Amino acid sequence: KPLTLDGTTEGAAVSAEASRPDFTGVWVLADSSNFDEYLEAMGVSWARRRTAMQTVPEQTWAAHGASGWRVETRGSANPLTPQVEVVLEGDAEEDLDGVRVRKRTHYEGGALVTSVTPADEAAKQALKPLVMRRYVRGEGADARLVLEMTYGDTTAVREFKPRGDTPSAKQ
């Protein structure tokens, strides 16, 4: 039988707790594919895409409450000013570059999935659906935090490796 993202065979019963990935630690970008095309599809300018492509982000993940995460991202372009995001399971409304959106985050098959959709009819004209899937593949020093980002029909994949002092790297 084929394996699912959480390492179980297809059709096997998995408890909700077992299917929640442990992102705890510091992760550094190791590989990226189709990222420029993804940013272009989102309407990001050429200059900002160039900067994003040259930046090597480092993400620090820590548990936040019972089912959420606090993610601090630092980039090589500006390592002193981190971008902080709190990812909570459930639904939320917020502005994304001036567009009102609904975010729904949940655990699915060993991945943390966030779906972003326009909150009103006007926003639907400005924004296509966005889905981000985050999961951990492998273990120890070979572990990878995988971020799959899909905007419309364009998908980018970014893989982060554990920094040496990350708990998953010590297994």
Side-chain angles (χ1 to χ4, degrees), residues 22 138-141 143 166-171:
D22 183 6
E139 58 186 44
T166 293
S168 63
K170 296 176 183 175
Q171 294 176 354

CSV table of all heavy atoms in Angstrom, one decimal, residues 22 138-141 143 166-171:
chain,number,residue,atom,x,y,z
A,22,ASP,N,5.4,17.8,14.2
A,22,ASP,CA,6.1,18.6,15.2
A,22,ASP,C,7.1,19.5,14.4
A,22,ASP,O,8.1,19.0,13.9
A,22,ASP,CB,6.8,17.7,16.2
A,22,ASP,CG,7.5,18.5,17.2
A,22,ASP,OD1,7.4,19.8,17.3
A,22,ASP,OD2,8.2,17.9,18.1
A,138,GLY,N,10.8,12.8,6.7
A,138,GLY,CA,12.1,12.3,7.2
A,138,GLY,C,12.3,12.6,8.7
A,138,GLY,O,11.4,13.1,9.3
A,139,GLU,N,13.5,12.3,9.2
A,139,GLU,CA,13.7,12.5,10.6
A,139,GLU,C,15.2,12.8,10.8
A,139,GLU,O,16.0,12.6,9.9
A,139,GLU,CB,13.2,11.4,11.5
A,139,GLU,CG,13.8,10.1,11.1
A,139,GLU,CD,13.2,8.9,11.9
A,139,GLU,OE1,12.0,8.9,12.0
A,139,GLU,OE2,14.0,8.1,12.4
A,140,GLY,N,15.5,13.3,12.0
A,140,GLY,CA,16.9,13.6,12.4
A,140,GLY,C,17.5,14.6,11.5
A,140,GLY,O,16.8,15.5,11.0
A,141,ALA,N,18.8,14.5,11.2
A,141,ALA,CA,19.4,15.5,10.3
A,141,ALA,C,18.9,15.5,8.9
A,141,ALA,O,19.1,16.5,8.2
A,141,ALA,CB,21.0,15.3,10.3
A,143,ALA,N,15.7,15.3,8.2
A,143,ALA,CA,14.3,15.8,8.2
A,143,ALA,C,14.2,17.1,7.3
A,143,ALA,O,15.2,17.8,7.1
A,143,ALA,CB,13.9,16.2,9.6
A,166,THR,N,18.3,22.1,16.3
A,166,THR,CA,16.9,21.8,16.2
A,166,THR,C,16.6,20.4,16.8
A,166,THR,O,17.3,19.5,16.4
A,166,THR,CB,16.3,21.9,14.8
A,166,THR,OG1,16.4,23.3,14.4
A,166,THR,CG2,14.9,21.5,14.7
A,167,PRO,N,15.6,20.2,17.7
A,167,PRO,CA,15.3,18.9,18.3
A,167,PRO,C,15.2,17.8,17.2
A,167,PRO,O,15.7,16.7,17.4
A,167,PRO,CB,14.0,19.1,19.0
A,167,PRO,CG,14.0,20.6,19.3
A,167,PRO,CD,14.7,21.2,18.2
A,168,SER,N,14.5,18.0,16.1
A,168,SER,CA,14.4,17.0,15.1
A,168,SER,C,15.7,16.5,14.5
A,168,SER,O,15.9,15.4,14.0
A,168,SER,CB,13.4,17.4,14.0
A,168,SER,OG,13.9,18.5,13.3
A,169,ALA,N,16.7,17.4,14.5
A,169,ALA,CA,18.0,17.1,14.0
A,169,ALA,C,18.8,16.1,14.9
A,169,ALA,O,19.8,15.5,14.5
A,169,ALA,CB,18.9,18.3,13.7
A,170,LYS,N,18.4,16.1,16.2
A,170,LYS,CA,19.1,15.3,17.2
A,170,LYS,C,18.6,13.9,17.3
A,170,LYS,O,19.1,13.1,18.1
A,170,LYS,CB,19.1,16.0,18.5
A,170,LYS,CG,19.7,17.3,18.5
A,170,LYS,CD,19.6,18.0,19.8
A,170,LYS,CE,20.2,19.4,19.8
A,170,LYS,NZ,20.0,20.2,21.0
A,171,GLN,N,17.5,13.5,16.7
A,171,GLN,CA,16.9,12.2,16.8
A,171,GLN,C,17.8,11.1,16.3
A,171,GLN,O,18.5,11.3,15.3
A,171,GLN,CB,15.5,12.2,16.1
A,171,GLN,CG,14.5,13.1,16.8
A,171,GLN,CD,13.2,13.1,16.0
A,171,GLN,OE1,13.0,12.6,15.0
A,171,GLN,NE2,12.2,13.8,16.6
